[in-house]
Amino acid sequence: MEQCSNQVIVAKNVKKNYQQDSIVVEAVRGVNLTIEKGEFTAIVGPSGSGKTTLLNVLTGLDTPTEGEVWLNGRLLSEMSQRELCDFRRDNVGFVFQAYNLIPVLTVEENIEYVMMLQGVSKNERHRRVVDILKQMGLEGYHNRFPTQLSGGQQQRVAIARAMVTKPALILADEPTANLDSKTSRALLDIMRKLNEETNMTFVFSTHDPHVVDRARRVIILEDGVNVREETRN
Amino acid sequence: MMTLRLAFRNLLRQKRRTIFTGLSMLVGFVMGCFFIGWADGAYNHIIDSFTRQRLGHIQIHKQGYLGKPSLYKTIDNPERVGKILDTVGHIDSWAPRLFSAGLVSAGEKSAGVQVIGIDTEREERTTNISNKIVEGNYFDNRIRGVILGKDLARNLHAGVRDSVVILSQAADGSIANARYPVTGLIDTGDPGLNRSAFYLPLEYAQELFVLEGKVHEIAVNAANLNYIEKVAKELKSRLSGTGLHVADWKEFAHEFYVAMSADKGGMYVMLVIVVIIVAITVLNTILMSVLERQKEYGVLKAIGTRPGSLVRMVLIETALLAGACILLGSVIGYFMNLYFAEYGLKLANPIEWGGVQIKYMKGEVNFKSFYLPTITVLVTALLVCFFPALRAARTEPAKTMRTF
């Protein structure tokens, strides 16, 4: 299949079923979508609509029951587990609802972890950590451990970790779900600003109307199917 | 580097669990170290007592003497062999001996005896024979006679200062007979020898059996057991082509050696116990720790950590803990073994082994008592934690994180 160089994600008729005891749960039921470079897209839907499952499948964290997912020009189903790990390391940044920073690593170590996996030199790693912490307004927090930070600060560190390697795509699952509205807005401002400045592609799932308002493209998911889309300025 | 840092900090995370796991490794290591040191010390003590106090660590004979002793199979030039022995390193002492059989009578009593001609000074330096005299005196310049096994003396109704007559055959075919005063009675520790030992100065024996300047055996004691092999090897090389045979205690006391080796096998039972202790606790605690951290492994995998790196992380974590326990265990084990090597344990009832009475059990500080438990603890811990490590590597990020 020919991929347009601007397309970061192409999902074709993606389905994902789960077996729960003797019942088959159809979490995603035939999603077709294309995400292009530099988009700031929200996947919106109520709880149980399949947002998280879809994000998992789009990044290779889970395998689709049916359909194809192309990420940055590569068909995910053709990759081994090891290739998928390397591919995610180099192409995808993750921001999780529960932050999921490594508790035994400091802020600086959490951010530089993926760079270490990539083999970036120590000086370069340090330079990038200093830069990104400045962008995130977290100067002076290098040596703090995650437990010494507030929820908003932890999520900013998580965004820094996701962005520091300049991946093609940043996926965020309900990034503001655990934050108060003021912190959520501030975080969204940061994400949007970074998107505009770096042209990095952001895809995030949410059901928070304030978050949806900031998205330039909104994909609405209901019962595992993308029922409609909205594009905003 | 980051993997090492992660592994190290993970150890400090659940201190109580780490301490528990570490303690099991530590106890296993110290037990292994102590019992190996103890077993080696005790057995080496028995071996050293058995050999040093009677037979010698190494013996030199004419070729064929060991298999079939004969009055005529003599070392014809013991002085030359002695000069060689004096130049070989790690030899503590050596003593020439002459053996024969005879019939001894005292009054109307008579008994078959084993005649042992000894160089009185060298024998004393080699086997401390004077310590075994239970009545009368050891030979000195003034007192020249015979020393009888204490049970032989009793059977002959002979005591110190009595005279005994020996009758035998000399090497030239003549009748060998002589009368000697009894200067002392000896308790060799070997009941058989106590009933038959007839010690007399070497020059008397050589004269009696017309074997002037000749001996049947030269017993050699090395500085300690560890040098026996080296000394024997050098002697074999230096005495090759002379028609003499050099044998270490494992050869000339082969049955004793086989018995000791079989007994020493018991030491490996202790290592199996160590393996079981370490395996059970390490498997439990590492598996528990891995299961608790599944979500974290999921995150690490999601952001690009390869499965192999996760296996490595868990293995390094275990190896770090095992390494620390081995270091600490080595210090504890060293001082325990040192204490028991120095002071030992006095036995309420002495053990008799091959005619030698063992009153103390002593430990030993040796390399084996450290490297064997090290290998055992490390290999067991790493093998056992391989299963939890694989579980960590097989973590499915989507399942374990749930929130994504």
Side-chain angles (χ1 to χ4, degrees):
Chain A
M1 179 188 155
E2 278 294 311
Q3 287 287 302
C4 171
S5 62
N6 254 359
Q7 293 171 342
V8 178
I9 298 176
V10 176
K12 291 195 154 199
N13 192 30
V14 169
K15 293 179 183 176
K16 179 68 188 177
N17 300 341
Y18 287 116
Q19 188 82 32
Q20 249 179 13
D21 299 325
S22 57
I23 302 162
V24 176
V25 178
E26 294 176 83
V28 177
R29 300 191 296 174
V31 167
N32 289 288
L33 64 83
T34 302
I35 308 264
E36 298 204 342
K37 188 171 167 57
E39 279 192 22
F40 195 72
T41 301
I43 296 175
V44 180
S47 288
S49 58
K51 302 187 295 291
T52 297
T53 306
L54 180 62
L55 288 184
N56 283 343
V57 170
L58 293 182
T59 51
L61 292 181
D62 214 344
T63 47
T65 311
E66 232 183 283
E68 287 180 346
V69 177
W70 296 75
L71 187 57
N72 221 19
R74 296 279 310 269
L75 182 59
L76 297 185
S77 57
E78 283 181 347
M79 290 189 227
S80 68
Q81 273 298 313
R82 188 182 156 134
E83 280 176 315
L84 269 173
C85 280
D86 290 353
F87 187 75
R88 279 198 299 267
R89 179 194 68 196
D90 297 332
N91 293 280
V92 188
F94 289 93
V95 181
F96 305 97
Q97 179 183 333
Y99 328 130
N100 286 343
L101 299 173
I102 305 302
V104 291
L105 298 182
T106 62
V107 165
E108 178 161 6
E109 289 164 347
N110 263 287
I111 296 172
E112 68 174 353
Y113 181 80
V114 181
M115 287 191 284
M116 285 190 84
L117 295 179
Q118 289 178 326
V120 178
S121 72
K122 191 178 177 184
N123 287 342
E124 176 63 11
R125 287 199 313 262
H126 184 69
R127 191 188 63 72
R128 286 203 218 169
V129 169
V130 170
D131 281 355
I132 199 112
L133 283 179
K134 195 173 172 187
Q135 277 180 284
M136 294 291 162
L138 288 170
E139 292 144 297
Y141 285 78
H142 301 70
N143 294 322
R144 300 268 183 100
F145 283 93
T147 49
Q148 297 169 317
L149 302 175
S150 69
Q153 287 169 331
Q154 286 191 56
Q155 197 59 304
R156 276 188 279 163
V157 174
I159 294 172
R161 176 177 69 181
M163 288 195 54
V164 76
T165 56
K166 301 185 177 75
L169 172 70
I170 292 185
L171 278 167
D173 181 49
E174 306 264 11
T176 59
N178 289 342
L179 304 175
D180 59 63
S181 57
K182 192 180 162 198
T183 313
S184 297
R185 273 198 299 276
L187 200 74
L188 258 293
D189 285 343
I190 289 173
M191 287 167 68
R192 177 103 185 217
K193 188 166 166 261
L194 291 169
N195 167 253
E196 283 162 3
E197 283 174 5
T198 62
N199 204 30
M200 250 185 253
T201 310
F202 277 75
V203 177
F204 49 93
S205 69
T206 186
H207 57 264
D208 180 346
H210 297 296
V211 177
V212 177
D213 286 347
R214 301 295 179 106
R216 281 202 292 265
R217 182 183 172 197
V218 178
I219 297 168
I220 297 154
L221 210 62
E222 274 178 25
D223 297 326
V225 185
N226 46 338
V227 288
R228 63 174 198 280
E229 277 189 37
E230 292 170 12
T231 310
R232 298 155 186 197
N233 288 326
Chain B
M1 192 59 196
M2 185 65 97
T3 311
L4 190 70
R5 208 178 302 167
L6 260 171
F8 180 71
R9 292 195 191 153
N10 277 332
L11 282 176
L12 301 177
R13 216 160 160 182
Q14 284 272 1
K15 291 191 183 73
R16 207 176 295 176
R17 182 191 298 150
T18 303
I19 289 170
F20 177 69
T21 314
L23 267 179
S24 72
M25 290 183 188
L26 184 70
V27 169
F29 181 89
V30 172
M31 272 172 68
C33 180
F34 173 69
F35 279 101
I36 291 170
W38 180 256
D40 276 356
Y43 284 112
N44 286 345
H45 180 57
I46 293 171
I47 292 164
D48 203 39
S49 301
F50 184 75
T51 51
R52 185 182 288 277
Q53 290 176 28
R54 274 184 35 208
L55 305 171
H57 293 144
I58 297 164
Q59 292 181 354
I60 302 168
H61 305 97
K62 192 174 177 78
Q63 284 287 1
Y65 182 89
L66 259 186
K68 197 175 178 187
S70 157
L71 186 66
Y72 306 105
K73 291 176 184 171
T74 54
I75 299 170
D76 294 338
N77 199 346
E79 290 81 13
R80 198 175 71 83
V81 179
K83 277 179 189 162
I84 291 172
L85 290 171
D86 288 338
T87 61
V88 173
H90 308 298
I91 288 181
D92 191 40
S93 58
W94 56 272
R97 294 164 182 167
L98 186 148
F99 298 104
S100 187
L103 187 71
V104 166
S105 61
E108 291 184 357
K109 298 284 182 185
S110 61
V113 294
Q114 184 185 7
V115 180
I116 309 165
I118 55 172
D119 178 320
T120 56
E121 284 174 20
R122 286 198 172 278
E123 192 67 34
E124 171 59 10
R125 283 207 296 273
T126 305
T127 59
N128 292 324
I129 190 171
S130 66
N131 288 346
K132 299 170 194 166
I133 302 295
V134 290
E135 205 180 320
N137 296 295
Y138 183 58
F139 305 123
D140 63 24
N141 290 335
R142 292 174 297 109
I143 309 165
R144 305 297 268 183
V146 296
I147 292 171
L148 301 181
K150 65 181 176 84
D151 296 330
L152 172 65
R154 196 189 60 223
N155 293 342
L156 291 172
H157 293 176
V160 176
R161 286 186 292 276
D162 288 343
S163 287
V164 290
V165 174
I166 174 100
L167 187 66
S168 187
Q169 184 187 334
D172 64 353
S174 63
I175 299 292
N177 63 84
R179 176 187 291 269
Y180 300 106
V182 177
T183 63
L185 305 184
I186 189 168
D187 181 0
T188 62
D190 178 354
L193 203 56
N194 281 348
R195 283 194 299 273
S196 62
F198 186 93
Y199 287 95
L200 76 165
L202 185 62
E203 60 273 21
Y204 284 22
Q206 286 171 332
E207 188 188 340
L208 179 66
F209 294 101
V210 194
L211 284 172
E212 279 82 3
K214 296 176 182 176
V215 297
H216 289 114
E217 175 180 291
I218 296 176
V220 181
N221 274 343
N224 65 51
L225 288 180
N226 299 326
Y227 289 119
I228 294 175
E229 212 167 305
K230 192 179 173 188
V231 171
K233 195 175 168 191
E234 187 168 350
L235 285 178
K236 278 178 189 172
S237 145
R238 299 278 296 272
L239 295 173
S240 69
T242 58
L244 298 180
H245 174 67
V246 177
D248 66 10
W249 70 275
K250 292 175 187 171
E251 185 181 344
F252 62 73
H254 189 68
E255 283 178 11
F256 175 69
Y257 169 64
V258 170
M260 282 289 113
S261 302
D263 264 28
K264 268 188 159 182
M267 173 180 78
Y268 293 100
V269 173
M270 184 44 63
L271 287 180
V272 171
I273 294 170
V274 170
V275 166
I276 292 168
I277 291 174
V278 173
I280 291 173
T281 44
V282 169
L283 179 64
N284 264 327
T285 49
I286 301 285
L287 185 60
M288 204 189 302
S289 143
V290 163
L291 290 177
E292 263 178 22
R293 275 186 270 155
Q294 288 263 288
K295 185 177 173 184
E296 219 168 284
Y297 294 129
V299 174
L300 288 173
K301 248 181 126 173
I303 63 176
T305 310
R306 289 176 181 170
S309 297
L310 292 179
V311 171
R312 211 161 44 236
M313 191 187 297
V314 177
L315 292 181
I316 288 175
E317 210 173 302
T318 310
L320 277 176
L321 184 59
C325 294
I326 286 166
L327 269 180
L328 182 61
S330 297
V331 174
I332 296 172
Y334 172 77
F335 283 108
M336 273 177 83
N337 286 355
L338 193 66
Y339 176 85
F340 282 100
E342 190 69 28
Y343 300 105
L345 201 66
K346 191 174 182 185
L347 299 175
N349 300 308
I351 302 170
E352 193 171 308
W353 232 115
V356 176
Q357 270 206 341
I358 310 294
K359 293 172 184 165
Y360 280 90
M361 291 283 271
K362 285 194 169 186
E364 188 177 292
V365 180
N366 60 21
F367 184 51
K368 191 168 76 182
S369 57
F370 294 96
Y371 83 76
L372 265 185
T374 297
I375 292 170
T376 309
V377 168
L378 202 60
V379 170
T380 308
L382 288 179
L383 275 180
V384 164
C385 88
F386 202 72
F387 167 66
L390 278 183
R391 277 201 75 142
R394 285 179 186 154
T395 301
E396 291 178 45
K399 259 190 191 170
T400 53
M401 288 191 291
R402 290 188 186 282
T403 49
F404 191 89

